[in-house]
Amino acid sequence: MAQNNLQVKLEEKVIALEEVVVRPHNLTGHITTDLRSFNTKPVITSASLGLPKAELKVKTRNERLLFEVDNGKLIRFRKRAISVNSIKLISKISGRTKMLKNRIELDKRLETENKIYNLYSEKTLSEELKIPLEHVPRFVNFLINQANFLKLVENMNDLQLLDYLKNQGKIYKKANQLQ
């Protein structure tokens, strides 16, 4: 069996430009002036149109599944009859309801973890918080498993979150003897 190797040598070529002109917009470089010169139409959303329930959050797949199996009353009493919501009853007995609630909680934790990593790379967290790079995933896990952390993150802007991470970094380093 013969092997054919092909080697390609690449060289970097840097081109320095003295001036760049962006057309057809003829930008000035001043953001406020350039924004005024654009004839942009406002983004149309269900809220801007005044549609009912436009402010409602779109449910995730697991939230929809939980709604399907846990919606409504378990037992309803009517004048001469009792009705049982069999789907809800079977889901509770089988553990499906609890499983879906756990999945929703996990989804929220993963969303929060992704938000942290999208804002700050592992390297940035390591440098800013003075935590060894190999400890950053454990530190993020430490944060996510704290009570009320998920709610705190929802209400913080990026700078407040960084300050919070710095404070929690000190606690983490002390608890793990990393100082």
Side-chain angles (χ1 to χ4, degrees):
M1 187 185 322
Q3 287 186 332
N4 295 331
N5 291 332
L6 177 64
Q7 290 185 344
V8 178
K9 187 175 180 181
L10 301 174
E11 293 181 13
E12 185 177 334
K13 186 173 181 180
V14 178
I15 301 172
L17 301 174
E18 293 179 19
E19 181 181 22
V20 175
V21 178
V22 179
R23 300 213 185 265
H25 302 294
N26 295 325
L27 301 175
T28 65
H30 300 286
I31 293 174
T32 52
T33 306
D34 293 338
L35 283 175
R36 281 190 219 120
S37 68
F38 281 109
N39 293 328
T40 58
K41 297 177 182 174
V43 177
I44 298 174
T45 63
S46 53
S48 68
L49 293 173
L51 297 177
K53 299 185 180 181
E55 71 284 347
L56 291 179
K57 179 184 160 251
V58 176
K59 291 183 179 189
T60 65
R61 178 179 184 271
N62 288 324
E63 288 170 332
R64 289 191 309 270
L65 289 172
L66 178 63
F67 181 79
E68 287 176 12
V69 300
D70 201 34
N71 184 31
K73 293 183 177 184
L74 182 59
I75 300 174
R76 282 193 175 155
F77 297 98
R78 298 201 174 134
K79 290 182 182 180
R80 294 188 180 176
I82 297 175
S83 65
V84 177
N85 185 336
S86 58
I87 294 173
K88 188 170 186 168
L89 181 63
I90 292 169
S91 296
K92 283 198 179 286
I93 292 170
S94 69
R96 183 169 171 78
T97 303
K98 185 175 181 180
M99 178 206 53
L100 288 170
K101 287 179 180 179
N102 289 340
R103 280 187 184 175
I104 291 168
E105 183 65 25
L106 179 62
D107 288 346
K108 288 178 183 175
R109 290 172 187 266
L110 289 172
E111 184 181 336
T112 302
E113 182 178 341
N114 288 335
K115 178 180 179 179
I116 291 170
Y117 283 127
N118 286 335
L119 289 172
Y120 315 107
S121 68
E122 285 188 9
K123 185 178 179 186
T124 302
L125 289 171
S126 176
E127 291 171 358
E128 286 291 322
L129 308 177
K130 296 175 180 46
I131 294 175
L133 190 59
E134 62 272 8
H135 279 265
V136 171
R138 282 183 241 149
F139 169 68
V140 172
N141 192 38
F142 162 79
L143 290 171
I144 289 174
N145 287 313
Q146 289 182 2
N148 298 325
F149 178 70
L150 301 178
K151 289 182 183 177
L152 284 172
V153 171
E154 289 176 9
N155 299 324
M156 289 184 189
N157 64 36
D158 298 350
L159 292 176
Q160 290 171 325
L161 179 60
L162 184 59
D163 285 339
Y164 181 80
L165 295 179
K166 286 179 181 179
N167 291 332
Q168 292 300 310
K170 292 174 186 173
I171 294 168
Y172 176 82
K173 288 189 292 187
K174 188 176 181 181
N176 291 281
Q177 301 168 349
L178 297 175
Q179 296 184 2

